[in-house]
Amino acid sequence: MTTAGTLIDRAVNELLAGTVEERNKVAAGVDASATEITLSYSLSSIRDHTVVQIGDELVYVWQVNTSSKTLTVDRGYGGSTAAAHSAGAITVTSPRFPRGQMLTHLNSELNDLSSPMNGLFQVKTVNVAYNGSDRMINITDATDLIDLFDVRYRYLNDDYPIIRNVRLLRNMPTTDFASGFAVALDSYCRAGTIQILYKAPYGTFTSGASTVADVGGSGTLEDLLVLGAQIRAMAGREVKRNFTESQGDTRRGDEVPSGAVANSMMQLQRLRRDRIQAEAARLARQYPLRIRK
């Protein structure tokens, strides 16, 4: 299954549109606490007070030694996490779209897609042993829940009839219902196994190695996540362009007029809107509305 790292690579490569950022390689492995990093090739444009990316980590360069190709750095810059890096690890000088920020954008997009406005979700299943007498059943391991989709009784190993008279209860006391969510049975149901299917928000990527499946998504969600991350990555660039306390490139105003960055996102926003509608329609067809009464 596709990883978050793969989605980040795709999003960044499309945004760079063929632009190759300056790269180098770590000459000798370093642990997460090392403050000196030696590179394999000429430092080129790496200077004092430059930011360098190694894997998912950003380091802030305090000082460079061009003869030994060594950087004196602060680790875990800009909210990234310091990590060990092996010899040969690729470095990127002053990355336009740092990987840690892109991972944050992917997670923000996952949260947004599960909002009521966009209406996307994953479906989870839990099997509960029912004693035949309780009117309310804890939804085991549920941490967040949008709505019930299906509640069934295991009559035989090949027969799961739907239980229709059920209700979802939220904010239940966790002393009695550990998850805080419960299913209320408004009609008799014999003792046995009850299968609960419910709609839940997407999870979040914990690292670049997390897969789309880990957050509850499928292959059809991948391009949506890429589009959303790209839009979020570009959203602040018009703000930066309008800073008044520094003088930009004198040619840039003619070549890239004010508002050009914002306008460049319009096609991405249209694509994202259309893909959300298409994905919502797919989920609606796959998980149609159930009449429970």
Side-chain angles (χ1 to χ4, degrees):
M1 193 69 177
T2 303
T3 65
T6 301
L7 297 180
I8 291 171
D9 288 338
R10 177 177 165 187
V12 171
N13 289 339
E14 290 177 2
L15 286 174
L16 291 175
T19 300
V20 179
E21 295 180 306
E22 183 183 310
R23 297 189 170 203
N24 210 317
K25 286 184 178 181
V26 175
V30 294
D31 61 24
S33 61
T35 57
E36 290 194 346
I37 299 174
T38 302
L39 302 185
S40 299
Y41 306 109
S42 167
L43 299 186
S44 190
S45 67
I46 301 178
R47 299 288 184 268
D48 297 353
H49 313 302
T50 303
V51 174
V52 174
Q53 178 176 269
I54 312 174
D56 292 340
E57 180 188 359
L58 295 177
V59 300
Y60 184 86
V61 179
W62 287 112
Q63 192 173 40
V64 300
N65 186 322
T66 55
S67 60
S68 64
K69 304 171 187 173
T70 300
L71 314 178
T72 301
V73 301
D74 260 354
R75 305 293 300 275
Y77 177 73
S80 63
T81 301
H85 303 288
S86 58
I90 299 296
T91 71
V92 179
T93 305
S94 301
R96 290 175 174 83
F97 305 102
R99 298 182 67 82
Q101 291 181 15
M102 295 301 290
L103 184 66
T104 299
H105 293 327
L106 286 176
N107 284 330
S108 297
E109 185 66 9
L110 283 166
N111 290 332
D112 190 33
L113 291 174
S114 296
S115 69
M117 179 177 291
N118 292 319
L120 304 189
F121 55 85
Q122 62 172 311
V123 172
K124 292 186 174 182
T125 303
V126 60
N127 293 312
V128 179
Y130 178 56
N131 60 17
S133 60
D134 293 341
R135 289 192 60 247
M136 299 179 185
I137 308 170
N138 178 58
I139 303 178
T140 309
D141 297 330
T143 56
D144 202 355
L145 195 153
I146 297 173
D147 198 2
L148 291 176
F149 171 67
D150 218 13
V151 180
R152 294 174 179 264
Y153 174 76
R154 185 183 185 276
Y155 183 67
L156 297 170
N157 61 0
D158 59 352
D159 188 3
Y160 282 72
I162 296 175
I163 305 172
R164 296 196 179 277
N165 296 325
V166 297
R167 291 175 290 120
L168 171 65
L169 303 178
R170 305 174 188 270
N171 303 317
M172 300 297 287
T174 54
T175 51
D176 299 310
F177 301 90
S179 69
F181 297 97
V183 170
L185 302 175
D186 291 334
S187 59
Y188 170 75
C189 181
R190 69 175 69 182
T193 299
I194 289 180
Q195 183 184 75
I196 302 170
L197 278 74
Y198 62 92
K199 302 175 183 178
Y202 295 117
T204 55
F205 295 115
T206 56
S207 71
S210 301
T211 68
V212 175
D214 291 337
V215 300
S218 64
T220 59
L221 192 67
E222 293 175 10
D223 65 325
L224 251 176
L225 293 176
V226 169
L227 284 168
Q230 289 172 333
I231 292 169
R232 292 172 189 276
M234 293 297 294
R237 295 198 165 247
E238 192 69 29
V239 176
K240 178 182 176 181
R241 172 67 190 278
N242 292 326
F243 283 172
T244 58
E245 58 266 36
S246 61
Q247 175 64 49
D249 187 339
T250 55
R251 297 178 57 212
R252 190 172 296 172
D254 294 332
E255 296 178 355
V256 187
S258 179
V261 176
N263 291 335
S264 70
M265 293 192 297
M266 292 180 62
Q267 180 63 16
L268 293 177
Q269 291 169 333
R270 282 194 292 266
L271 285 172
R272 178 179 180 271
R273 179 197 61 206
D274 293 345
R275 280 291 296 115
I276 288 174
Q277 292 174 347
E279 187 68 7
R282 184 189 70 80
L283 289 172
R285 178 65 62 88
Q286 187 173 353
Y287 301 103
L289 178 68
R290 298 289 195 190
I291 305 299
R292 300 197 186 102
K293 294 294 185 180

